[in-house]
Amino acid sequence: MGRIAVIGAGMGAMAAAARLAVAGHRVTVYERTRTYGGGVRRFERDGFAFDTGPGLLPLPAVYRDLFVKTGKEPLEECVELVQVDPSARHVFADGTEVSLPNASRAGVVAALDEALGAGAGQRWGDFLVRAREAWDRTRRPLLEEPLWPNWQVLAEREPYPSVPHKKLLRTRRAGTLAEIGAWELRDERLAALLNSHAIGYGLNPRDTPASAAVLPYLEHAFGIWYVRGGIRELARAVYERCVKRRVEFVFGAEVTGILAEDGRAVGVELADGRGVDADHVVAGVDPVRLNALTRSTGWQLDADGDVRADTAVARPGRFSVLLALRGGPEAGAVHRTVVHAPDDQTELDLLTAPGGDRPVRPTVTVLRPGDPALRPDENHESVVLSAVLSTEADWEKESTALTYTDFLLEAAEAAVPGLRERLLWHETRVPEQVTDAQGFGEISAPALAAGRGRFLHPANTTRVPGLYRVGDWSHPGGGLPHAGMSGALVAGLIVEGPEFRGSR
């Protein structure tokens, strides 16, 4: 079998490395930092520990499949998965609150009817039925099959079904997620609930295609899960699986170029000047850096005809506040609370634009794992607050970070009793801090259909033979499950060749 050079040790790259090693390839991962996991990192201080990337795991079947395909020990023997119930508590702008049961349509319908009024639950339930239709139509092409060369079909296809319009006696098709909220849900709180799933990925519901309805559907159908010890434990388990499969990791090794010969990728060049030969190169890096790595070869990866990321548009990023609190969580504390913005339209205005002179309180997610592994003892608690904000705000001004920190603390008081009095210290991370050591920064959304190509991601193959893309910035896009599927697709393309048509 061949020699594989993998650039980066993110979740998608490690998933590809493990599968390729099982297939008999000699795999070496070159990571410029001193650890693995990409954005799945951990911050520790004074006995407190915090996930600094995603805090919850949707669609765990992707990682179950990875562990089944790469060894004898299933995922549950390597990490402890806990289903989060309720999946979330929502606090809306008008003060209404609702806790939604995990993976229970009937329970969610009943909870929404009780909290928001008769009929609200049914409208949400009907929406989930249509969202399932969109999921059924896009699951294979968006998650389980290579994108190229059929991306044009996905870009032109609208999988979200039209809805009968009672007064006009005809059907009406929603073009965006915001239109679903206005036409079908007919309740500002239900619309906010829907929008929060898009905002969490840095997507603006006003221009996000209706096919993004699959995002809340995934959580409803497959549940939301927590990895005991924090999501960093999942990264550890994947790393250890790679090591058991004899994947070699070289940390502190920055790749500065991709070597070419006869129009094909034949290895990588490291910062110390060494060249490393390889039969295939798998790049788990963003499009801008990947193009820089290939610049000396004269290749243009994102030329006409390719699906390409829009690098000219600044993507939103995650603003996080890590809280060390006195006292343990109260009985019945909810793991995840979403405190919605008091002015959701202004929030959307500022999502992809500079904050200007009038920042507003955003939608805030409060994660309270209550996990003994993340606190010094039972008399303390670690909490993570996060919001999605524009990376173009003036984050160099200390006052900007202070303003948003206060916004997040204010919102979190609706989720954590006595928050201000319990606060020992806090750490703030702003969206522009894309630090290798801590995993904060830009958010990458999953691929979506019907976006005229805008909401797709570059294919896992490239126009350069022997060079492949993997991870958040490639098909099928960002998020833990999508990274895992990206690794499966790349491994299939290398092992089985261009005729590979599915990951399972």
Side-chain angles (χ1 to χ4, degrees):
M1 287 293 185
R3 298 161 299 177
I4 312 292
V6 179
I7 306 173
M11 298 299 284
M14 290 197 294
R19 289 176 180 268
L20 287 166
V22 167
H25 292 284
R26 288 164 35 203
V27 184
T28 304
V29 177
Y30 298 93
E31 168 57 47
R32 60 180 173 176
T33 73
R34 296 292 176 180
T35 190
Y36 53 84
V40 182
R41 300 291 176 90
R42 173 173 290 174
F43 175 81
E44 298 181 358
R45 174 181 162 186
D46 300 339
F48 292 89
F50 309 85
D51 281 324
T52 60
L56 296 171
L57 176 65
L59 206 60
V62 170
Y63 286 92
R64 290 192 180 107
D65 182 68
L66 171 65
F67 277 72
V68 166
K69 300 290 177 59
T70 59
K72 295 180 180 179
E73 306 89 357
L75 177 64
E76 281 79 358
E77 288 187 12
C78 301
V79 297
E80 182 182 355
L81 290 178
V82 181
Q83 194 166 20
V84 177
D85 198 17
S87 65
R89 171 177 167 242
H90 289 264
V91 181
F92 297 105
D94 65 354
T96 307
E97 300 182 12
V98 62
S99 292
L100 301 180
N102 201 340
S104 168
R105 182 180 182 276
V108 167
V109 168
L112 289 173
D113 273 341
E114 181 178 353
L116 308 187
Q122 186 61 51
R123 289 196 298 277
W124 184 260
D126 291 343
F127 156 71
L128 288 176
V129 171
R130 291 185 289 274
R132 176 179 180 176
E133 187 172 336
W135 166 249
D136 289 341
R137 291 176 178 177
T138 60
R139 174 176 177 168
R140 287 201 63 82
L142 280 181
L143 272 182
E144 298 177 0
E145 296 178 346
L147 182 59
W148 186 261
N150 297 316
W151 73 268
Q152 292 92 340
V153 175
L154 277 171
E156 296 166 0
R157 183 183 187 185
E158 176 48 79
Y160 187 79
S162 55
V163 178
H165 191 284
K166 296 179 181 178
K167 293 183 179 179
L168 299 180
L169 299 179
R170 61 179 174 82
T171 60
R172 178 162 59 179
R173 184 181 295 279
T176 67
L177 212 60
E179 289 175 346
I180 292 176
W183 297 352
E184 301 177 29
L185 299 179
R186 304 190 305 278
D187 185 302
E188 291 183 355
R189 296 161 298 183
L190 289 179
L193 172 59
L194 173 62
N195 289 347
S196 66
H197 289 274
I199 292 171
Y201 282 106
L203 296 169
N204 191 324
R206 292 172 177 167
D207 59 13
T208 298
S211 60
V214 299
L215 299 177
Y217 173 76
L218 283 175
E219 186 170 309
H220 158 76
F222 303 103
I224 196 78
W225 301 76
Y226 174 69
V227 179
R228 188 76 71 188
I231 294 293
R232 177 66 177 172
E233 285 298 291
L234 179 63
R236 174 198 56 77
V238 175
Y239 168 73
E240 291 180 353
R241 176 54 53 92
C242 285
V243 172
K244 286 184 178 179
R245 301 284 79 81
R246 303 195 178 189
V247 174
E248 181 183 358
F249 285 81
V250 184
F251 295 107
E254 181 176 2
V255 173
T256 55
I258 295 174
L259 302 177
E261 187 175 307
D262 298 327
R264 177 183 177 84
V266 295
V268 297
E269 182 179 23
L270 304 180
D272 61 9
R274 286 184 298 140
V276 179
D277 294 335
D279 298 295
H280 301 276
V281 176
V282 176
V285 299
D286 66 86
V288 174
R289 185 179 171 211
L290 181 57
N291 276 323
L293 295 178
T294 62
R295 191 170 296 151
S296 62
T297 68
W299 294 325
Q300 186 180 5
L301 295 187
D302 296 324
D304 290 342
D306 278 344
V307 178
R308 56 186 183 273
D310 189 353
T311 56
V313 177
R315 297 180 182 275
R318 183 180 291 107
F319 180 89
S320 301
V321 181
L322 316 179
L323 306 181
L325 303 182
R326 302 181 186 88
E330 72 280 6
V334 176
H335 190 125
R336 176 174 58 162
T337 299
V338 179
V339 184
H340 292 266
D343 185 349
D344 59 339
Q345 295 307 306
T346 303
E347 177 186 31
L348 298 185
D349 290 340
L350 300 179
L351 186 61
T352 55
D357 297 326
R358 195 177 68 86
V360 298
R361 202 194 83 193
T363 295
V364 176
T365 298
V366 182
L367 294 181
R368 305 178 66 192
D371 189 338
L374 304 182
R375 60 191 186 189
D377 53 53
E378 62 182 8
N379 295 318
H380 293 87
E381 182 181 8
S382 65
V383 176
V384 176
L385 316 180
S386 64
V388 176
L389 300 172
S390 171
T391 54
E392 294 188 335
D394 190 359
W395 294 110
E396 292 185 1
K397 290 176 59 177
E398 184 179 359
S399 60
T400 304
L402 290 174
T403 296
Y404 279 107
T405 298
D406 197 55
F407 278 151
L408 266 63
L409 289 171
E410 176 189 336
E413 288 181 296
V416 185
L419 173 64
R420 302 276 185 172
E421 293 75 23
R422 296 177 58 195
L423 184 60
L424 281 171
W425 53 261
H426 69 272
E427 289 273 347
T428 299
R429 297 293 182 270
V430 303
E432 68 174 10
Q433 288 177 314
V434 188
T435 60
D436 291 323
Q438 294 167 337
F440 289 89
E442 189 177 272
I443 299 170
S444 180
L448 298 171
R452 298 185 302 279
R454 179 180 173 191
F455 293 93
L456 296 176
H457 290 254
N460 303 109
T461 55
T462 71
R463 59 181 58 239
V464 181
L467 177 62
Y468 300 83
R469 295 181 174 101
V470 71
D472 278 358
W473 303 276
S474 62
H475 178 70
L480 283 173
H482 304 87
M485 292 305 301
S486 180
L489 291 170
V490 167
L493 287 165
I494 293 176
V495 173
E496 299 184 31
E499 66 277 7
F500 176 69
R501 287 293 176 267
S503 63
R504 296 176 183 273

